Amino acid sequence: MLDVFSLEGRTALVTGGSRGIGAGIVKLFLEAGARVAFCHYHDGAEAERLAYGLEGAGHAVDFIECDVGDAADVERLRDFAVEKLGHVDIIVNAAGISGDRPFAEVKVEDFDRMIDVNLRGTFIVTQAFFQQMVERGHGRVINFASQLAYKGAPAMAHYCASKGGVVGFTRALAYDGAPFGVTVNAIAPGPIETAQLAGMTEDWRAMKHAELPIRRFGTVEEIAPTALLLASKAGSYFVGQTLSPNGGDVML
Ligand SMILES: NC(=O)c1ccc[n+]([C@@H]2O[C@H](COP(=O)([O-])OP(=O)(O)OC[C@H]3O[C@@H](n4cnc5c(N)ncnc54)[C@H](O)[C@@H]3O)[C@@H](O)[C@H]2O)c1
């Protein structure tokens, strides 16, 4: 690993690290030399499998179940991270939920849950560690938005609202962190082959492939390196940005 991408001596907490993009980031950060812990929600078997596989590759990783939308749970997450890592240099807010439903059928509870996990979760997890980063004079916050925050999508008003909120939160908090060596940025992936796309029909997949300039969905391995860039010395001049590896779906 090139020195500028090294996370040697750094600690990282990844929310939603049991599978998908979060799991890809856990693996890559471990390979880059970081000590890593992650949380998941109702995904214990996947978390065990991931940790077991990583152990086989010589990497130790700690994990805990936590609903990032629940403030009391996030307090437990903070205590766990402090116990396992001592302090947290890098937070990756990868936990997220998706879903499509015609606007007229979205109940206010559906909207609330989407916001709770994707936006409120990002807010309260970051708040649990931010001050400690400021006091240490170093930190990296990496949030997960979506290319749909920019382009929208039919029947996804609640999801797009939550991800648009993440972009705004990222920009605003960047001002609070940057003078103290804490950078705050986001990643807005295009469609990536994870559980979030697993339920989609073949017709939908073919239609989306045709829409994408790159003519295919992305992989976890094509997203995790953007997180490494933002977490490492290589990305130290990115402040308040939302980087969008999206196969050309949105060109900003
Ligand atoms: N996959 C895509 O096409 C895509 C596109 C754009 C943005 N994103 C965003 O990237 C992030 C990762 O997506 P993914 O596709 O890897 O998802 P995924 O469904 O594969 O994994 C989601 C992860 O979040 C965790 N999680 C879910 N609810 C949680 C909660 N309440 N508290 C804590 N953890 C919770 C799960 O345990 C899991 O580890 C999400 O924020 C997602 O919205 C994904």
Side-chain angles (χ1 to χ4, degrees), residues 16 18-19 21 41 66-68 94-95 145 159 163 189-190 192 194 196:
S18 53
R19 62 168 195 255
I21 294 169
Y41 188 55
C66 168
D67 179 355
V68 295
Y159 179 77
K163 294 302 188 179
I192 307 304
T194 71
Q196 284 208 354

Side-chain angles (χ1 to χ4, degrees), residues 182-201:
V182 181
T183 66
V184 183
N185 292 288
I187 301 173
I192 307 304
E193 297 283 9
T194 71
Q196 284 208 354
L197 295 188
M200 303 318 239
T201 63

Side-chain angles (χ1 to χ4, degrees), residues 15-23 38-44 46 64-70 73 93-98 113 116-118 122 143-148 159 162-163 187-197 204 217-218 220 223:
T15 71
S18 53
R19 62 168 195 255
I21 294 169
F38 71 86
C39 78
H40 68 89
Y41 188 55
H42 288 176
D43 208 20
E46 284 283 319
I64 187 173
E65 178 158 20
C66 168
D67 179 355
V68 295
D70 180 312
D73 244 19
N93 285 303
I97 54 172
S98 181
R113 185 60 183 157
D116 272 357
V117 179
N118 292 356
T122 297
N143 298 324
F144 266 84
S146 163
Q147 100 284 21
L148 299 183
Y159 179 77
S162 73
K163 294 302 188 179
I187 301 173
I192 307 304
E193 297 283 9
T194 71
Q196 284 208 354
L197 295 188
W204 182 88
F217 295 156
V220 164
I223 302 303

